[in-house]
Amino acid sequence: MDKKSDIDSGSGSDSETMKNIDDSVEDTVDDLMHESEDDFEEEEEEDDDEDMSENESDGDDNNNPTSNWLGITPASIRKEVLKIHEERKVKAKRFLKDFQGKLTLSYDWLLLGYRDHTIAPVKHEDFTCLSAHFIDDDWKVRKWILGYTTDASIPMDDLLTYHFRTAVQSFEIQNKVSTILLPNDEDFDEKTVDAIKKYMGEEGLPVNVVYCCADLFRLMVDDLCGRFRWGLYEELRMLVSWGRCFSTPNWNVTLYHYGLALDMHKEDAFSKDEIYDEYDKPSDEEWVQIETYCKLGGCVYKVAKELFEEGGYSTCNVYFHLLAELKVMLKKEVDGGGGGGESDGYFVGKAKKMLKMFDKYWGGMFVVLAAACVLDPRFKMKYVEFYCAKKIDGDEGSKAETVLDYLRSLFARYAASEFCQKPICSVATVDHEEDEDDEDEDYGDDDDEEADKEEKEKPDAYKDFALFQEFLKYEGSSPREFGDSELDAYLKEPIIEWDKDFKALEWWKEKSQTYPVLSRVARDVLSIPVSRATSYDAYVTEKREPPESVLSMDAKAANAVMCGRSWLPLIK
């Protein structure tokens, strides 16, 4: 999930209570986790929140004088957490109702993998997380968890639609949702997606469906190692001695390790040194598979690194040109035929399958991603026109007109609203968590200078992106005829100079007075997350796991705690 939460201090009659809850939320989670074995053996489904008595947690608490003196027990903490959750949910609903922007709802199924690292007894092994993504009036990216529930009591035929329907109806956001973000999962077929969409969206306005880019990368890389012999990774670990072997390391780690082994193999290190004679080694066929994995997986990682690591959270305006780069790299590998060796058939077969997977994703996401690219003033229509002029997808450039028509239609709907004529004004409703992070930047000038030096020394991957370098030399197509709308005025202006560290949200915040309507369009489009996970979580090879702190909680308490971490203290 997102590393940053939206945190505010409470106010009013319950401000003191909220302060105590906010300051101790992590400690209370630990208390619940460690003491749950003795204190939560009763069946929570038969408990009513109002009927939970102090006697439920007697026993071990009698041996804790501090707990008895303060009157604090896991049961009393649970009751207080649920109470605060319900009070703040009312304010959350009011905030979302008054919010003059659009939301994206994302679905994530979290599943506990190996239990070796868990401490407390596990009550639930899986949770479904339903989150709302938006950009607030201060142009900050927000993610609120609207539901963190188990699937135990949900009928199987309603499993995938239940969470969307419940969140939309519970928070009354039917007309606020413009997009849904789904995993690349076969369970979300067309029938299921249509069933989800009918619960949301304004009348006459389609709900966009986007699929997780991190999932696409995982599936592509997984296919590359689908034929690997079981135990091959452990065998290479012993051979190369890269340390402890994890059962399911992230695929970027696996790629790095296989690359180390392949480099040593190419240098004939395993034959030159007799120390390796007693170790099992991959066969010639397996070295071909490993080389294919490293070469094609390296193409994916080159783009994934820019999306998920270099810039932290990437808004969706950067996805189009980076995914276009991946498309060109994969197509080049297919057309190159693998380099002219006996293993070409295997390599080209894998490259073609990866390209086919990518094309399916690219075709469904093209318009949304291209529209976000146009709303990046470094690109506008120029990059989309450049890409379409290359005829990489086999068309004759008609897609560029489709993207422009989509934006014109979207802009017209916003322009028809009287409220959208007003620029977005920052509101002082949130004490942003970023303020705490900003303090870390003021520790000393020496640290700043060292960080700047490291930033300057960091290689720029864009220099190796062939398609992007070609774009920089692109002069553009024939001039277009523009009207007098804000969208036309924006497109008339020349693109700004390329800056890899450019922040689109900051630019649109500054230009909201110049483009009051278009800035609202940009805010809602750029708020669409194209990946459910970033950073470390973007490279997981299996399902992401729920936090250990909620595994021993009953479902209701887990929902209150997880929602609380994302939005409960945010609203005053």
Side-chain angles (χ1 to χ4, degrees), residues 234-284:
E234 170 67 12
E235 187 176 287
L236 284 174
R237 182 190 72 83
M238 297 293 294
L239 193 64
V240 181
S241 301
W242 57 56
R244 180 183 175 190
C245 180
F246 296 92
S247 53
T248 53
N250 284 9
W251 66 260
N252 60 326
V253 176
T254 306
L255 180 67
Y256 173 73
H257 286 161
Y258 277 130
L260 290 178
L262 183 62
D263 289 342
M264 293 181 68
H265 171 67
K266 289 182 175 180
E267 295 171 0
D268 205 21
F270 303 129
S271 299
K272 292 178 180 178
D273 196 332
E274 61 182 16
I275 195 175
Y276 297 109
D277 291 346
E278 60 185 55
Y279 290 97
D280 293 328
K281 304 178 190 64
S283 65
D284 291 342

Side-chain angles (χ1 to χ4, degrees), residues 37-272:
E37 183 173 7
D38 298 304
D39 298 321
F40 287 126
E41 291 182 353
E42 64 276 354
E43 296 182 3
E44 62 271 10
E45 294 179 358
E46 298 177 1
D47 292 340
D48 185 88
D49 297 341
E50 299 297 326
D51 295 328
M52 291 191 67
S53 65
E54 296 179 359
N55 295 330
E56 289 177 339
S57 55
D58 287 344
D60 288 349
D61 289 334
N62 293 330
N63 299 323
N64 189 336
T66 302
S67 178
N68 289 333
W69 178 61
L70 294 175
I72 298 175
T73 65
S76 65
I77 293 172
R78 176 186 185 276
K79 185 174 182 179
E80 188 67 20
V81 167
L82 294 178
K83 176 184 176 183
I84 298 296
H85 171 265
E86 289 302 318
E87 291 173 353
R88 294 292 169 162
K89 185 176 179 180
V90 173
K91 296 186 177 183
K93 289 173 63 175
R94 187 182 307 129
F95 179 94
L96 293 176
K97 181 178 181 181
D98 296 339
F99 177 62
Q100 298 296 323
K102 295 297 183 181
L103 310 175
T104 294
L105 295 186
S106 68
Y107 173 100
D108 204 0
W109 181 40
L110 305 166
L111 178 65
L112 177 63
Y114 296 89
R115 292 193 179 194
D116 294 345
H117 61 282
T118 58
I119 300 174
V122 176
K123 283 192 174 184
H124 303 286
E125 293 187 350
D126 70 304
F127 289 88
T128 296
C129 180
L130 204 289
S131 303
H133 306 257
F134 60 97
I135 294 174
D136 66 18
D137 288 346
D138 200 32
W139 291 86
K140 301 294 183 182
V141 177
R142 300 297 173 196
K143 177 183 178 181
W144 285 11
I145 297 178
L146 304 185
Y148 202 87
T149 57
T150 65
D151 297 336
S153 60
I154 304 173
M156 287 299 296
D157 59 349
D158 193 31
L159 197 60
L160 299 177
T161 57
Y162 170 85
H163 303 285
F164 286 96
R165 182 178 68 251
T166 302
V168 166
Q169 294 176 350
S170 178
F171 286 86
E172 301 177 6
I173 53 175
Q174 289 88 339
N175 296 330
K176 298 288 185 180
V177 180
S178 65
T179 309
I180 54 176
L181 171 63
L182 301 175
N184 280 319
D185 195 316
E186 293 180 358
D187 291 336
F188 286 95
D189 54 22
E190 185 176 351
K191 181 179 179 181
T192 302
V193 172
D194 288 342
I196 293 171
K197 290 165 65 175
K198 76 177 184 180
Y199 296 110
M200 58 195 72
E202 293 185 49
E203 185 176 355
L205 299 182
V207 175
N208 295 315
V209 180
V210 298
Y211 293 90
C212 179
C213 182
D215 281 354
L216 170 69
F217 291 170
R218 171 181 57 82
L219 293 171
M220 293 169 72
V221 174
D222 280 353
D223 182 72
L224 290 174
C225 58
R227 289 176 55 183
F228 281 14
R229 170 172 52 85
W230 185 88
L232 177 62
Y233 186 71
E234 170 67 12
E235 187 176 287
L236 284 174
R237 182 190 72 83
M238 297 293 294
L239 193 64
V240 181
S241 301
W242 57 56
R244 180 183 175 190
C245 180
F246 296 92
S247 53
T248 53
N250 284 9
W251 66 260
N252 60 326
V253 176
T254 306
L255 180 67
Y256 173 73
H257 286 161
Y258 277 130
L260 290 178
L262 183 62
D263 289 342
M264 293 181 68
H265 171 67
K266 289 182 175 180
E267 295 171 0
D268 205 21
F270 303 129
S271 299
K272 292 178 180 178

Side-chain angles (χ1 to χ4, degrees), residues 281-292:
K281 304 178 190 64
S283 65
D284 291 342
E285 181 181 355
E286 287 173 332
W287 281 120
V288 170
Q289 294 173 355
I290 293 171
E291 185 172 9
T292 299

